[in-house]
Structure formats: C-alpha cells, structure tokens
Amino acid sequence: MTMNSELSADLDEPVVEPRKSRKNNPEKTRENILQEAIVEFVQQGLSGARVDAIAERIHTSKRMIYYYFGSKEQLYVEVLEKLYGDIRNTESRLHLAELAPVDAIRRLVEFTFDHHDRNVDFVRIVCIENIHNAEYVKQSGAIKAMTNTILDSLGVILRRGAEEGVFRAGLEPLDVHLLISSFCFYRVSNRHTFGEIFQIDLPDEAIKQRHRQMICESVLRYLQA
C-alpha cells in the first residue's frame, strides 16, 4: 500500500482527539513524535520514510500522528523547523553582543563547528532537503525568520569590528555566514567519502580540534582589516 493510500484510508475514519487525563501531555507527545520522525527521515529519506514505522517506535497509532501533524509532509516540515530552531535558538544564547568582535566571531565559529559535529542528524536532514530542492523549506516562514536573527547579529559584530579597525569594512553578513557554515558543514556531510578517499579519520579528536582551530583562524583572516 502506498503512502497516499495509507493516508486516505486513515482519513476515511473520524479522527478522535486524544482522551484527556492527568497523564495526557500534548507537548510531550508532539516532541516524542518529532524525535522519532527525525530518526526515520534521516535513515529513510522523505520518500522512504513510513508513518507507521514512526508510530511503532513510540507505541502509538498513525491516526494519532496525523491528528498532531496532518500528513507525513507536514511532519517533515516541522522536523526541519525543529532542527533549524535548535541551532538558531542556541546561537541566540551565546551573548555575542557582549564580546569583543574577534571573540564573538571565534565563539560563533566554535559553536557552529561543535553543533554540526554533535548533530549529524541536522546535517543529514539538510542534505535530504537539498535533494528536494528546498521544496519544504520554502513552505516554512519560520525557518527564514530564524535565519534572519543570526544575520542581524553578524551584521552588528562586523560593523563593530570595522569601527574598531579589527575587521575590514564592507563585509556582508550573508557571505560570512556562508563561509562559516561551509567549513563546518562539509567536514560532517562528506566525512565518509572524504575520509575514505584521503584515508583520514575526521571524527578523531586530535584531527577534530586541529580543524576547529584552523577554521577559526581562516575565518578571522578573511575578516581582518
């Protein structure tokens, strides 16, 4: 049975709201579904992911998942929003505005490196979404709004750095964001092929720390006046 036919069959039956009780926690239920959906989408991709497989993992029904998310595609959009939200929300707690410009950039680069290294699922989901030409990112105004916050923050840091004479003038926040993301994303997204071709163990702690420092220094050299 195809995904569409599965969904149609389920929607033919009335959707019953979860029975309320002292143990009922809608937010926790949504979070549990999202966590298991991340696993399923990472392992199977959007096309291969099965809602009933997600339901089995958390001992619920497909109908319950459709009640909370409407469809597999909407569940996937909310997985994207959650994963992008995790990195953007943490960035907002780095207190970059309180740091000197050079220190702020260093902290941002180190955080981005560590986040990508520790959250391989985020990298894989972004790769999957690129296969789909960002079709589902286009449906989410939330993701675009989140990204604007880091660009605004970067813009302030770059202007302060230029005023203090430590960064050159005219730097574009989007260009700097792309530079940082490219360095940090590539070594995770391509760690298997790159590692095999060049016979290097990218997850090795000593290599990881060397690359972390190298990326910081490279970004700062690009920004310097």
Side-chain angles (χ1 to χ4, degrees):
M1 182 182 290
T2 65
M3 183 64 229
N4 288 336
S5 60
E6 284 183 336
L7 178 54
S8 298
D10 280 324
L11 294 181
D12 287 339
E13 303 177 24
V15 174
V16 180
E17 292 191 21
R19 190 169 53 186
K20 293 181 179 179
S21 71
R22 286 178 297 178
K23 294 183 178 180
N24 185 254
N25 186 334
E27 288 305 313
K28 182 172 176 55
T29 301
R30 282 179 58 86
E31 180 64 21
N32 289 342
I33 293 171
L34 280 171
Q35 290 295 344
E36 293 304 331
I38 290 170
V39 175
E40 181 71 7
F41 287 127
V42 165
Q43 291 180 351
Q44 307 298 333
L46 173 59
S47 302
R50 294 164 55 242
V51 175
D52 53 1
I54 299 169
E56 288 170 11
R57 284 195 182 99
I58 54 176
H59 308 292
T60 190
S61 65
K62 288 189 295 182
R63 196 190 312 178
M64 180 67 77
I65 294 174
Y66 292 136
Y67 169 77
Y68 280 104
F69 295 96
S71 67
K72 182 175 81 166
E73 289 73 21
Q74 184 56 38
L75 175 57
Y76 174 71
V77 170
E78 296 207 30
V79 162
L80 287 170
E81 290 178 348
K82 173 177 173 51
L83 293 176
Y84 274 101
D86 286 346
I87 187 170
R88 299 285 92 94
N89 290 336
T90 309
E91 283 170 344
S92 69
R93 298 195 295 270
L94 295 177
H95 305 292
L96 300 177
E98 300 172 12
L99 300 174
V102 170
D103 293 335
I105 291 296
R106 182 177 287 109
R107 176 174 287 186
L108 179 60
V109 172
E110 290 175 348
F111 163 75
T112 306
F113 183 98
D114 292 341
H115 185 90
H116 285 63
D117 184 71
R118 295 168 184 166
N119 295 273
V120 178
D121 287 351
F122 170 70
V123 174
R124 289 177 177 168
I125 287 286
V126 172
C127 289
I128 289 168
E129 180 59 6
N130 274 283
I131 291 172
H132 293 279
N133 300 311
E135 177 183 350
Y136 296 93
V137 164
K138 292 173 187 174
Q139 298 176 24
S140 174
I143 293 175
K144 295 170 188 173
M146 292 174 202
T147 304
N148 287 337
T149 61
I150 188 58
L151 294 182
D152 292 342
S153 180
L154 260 176
V156 171
I157 295 167
L158 296 175
R159 283 194 296 275
R160 285 199 292 124
E163 290 167 1
E164 295 176 19
V166 293
F167 296 157
R168 53 196 172 90
L171 291 163
E172 290 291 334
L174 182 58
D175 294 343
V176 178
H177 177 66
L178 176 63
L179 179 64
I180 296 170
S181 297
S182 299
F183 274 133
C184 298
F185 191 93
Y186 181 89
R187 68 176 305 281
V188 179
S189 66
N190 291 51
R191 65 170 49 170
H192 298 294
T193 51
F194 192 91
E196 180 60 33
I197 291 169
F198 295 101
Q199 289 297 291
I200 183 173
D201 182 15
L202 288 173
D204 177 80
E205 193 62 30
I207 294 173
K208 189 189 307 181
Q209 292 307 314
R210 187 174 81 234
H211 287 173
R212 191 173 186 261
Q213 181 178 357
M214 176 191 73
I215 292 169
C216 279
E217 291 173 354
S218 297
V219 172
L220 288 170
R221 276 199 299 270
Y222 173 75
L223 302 180
Q224 285 172 350

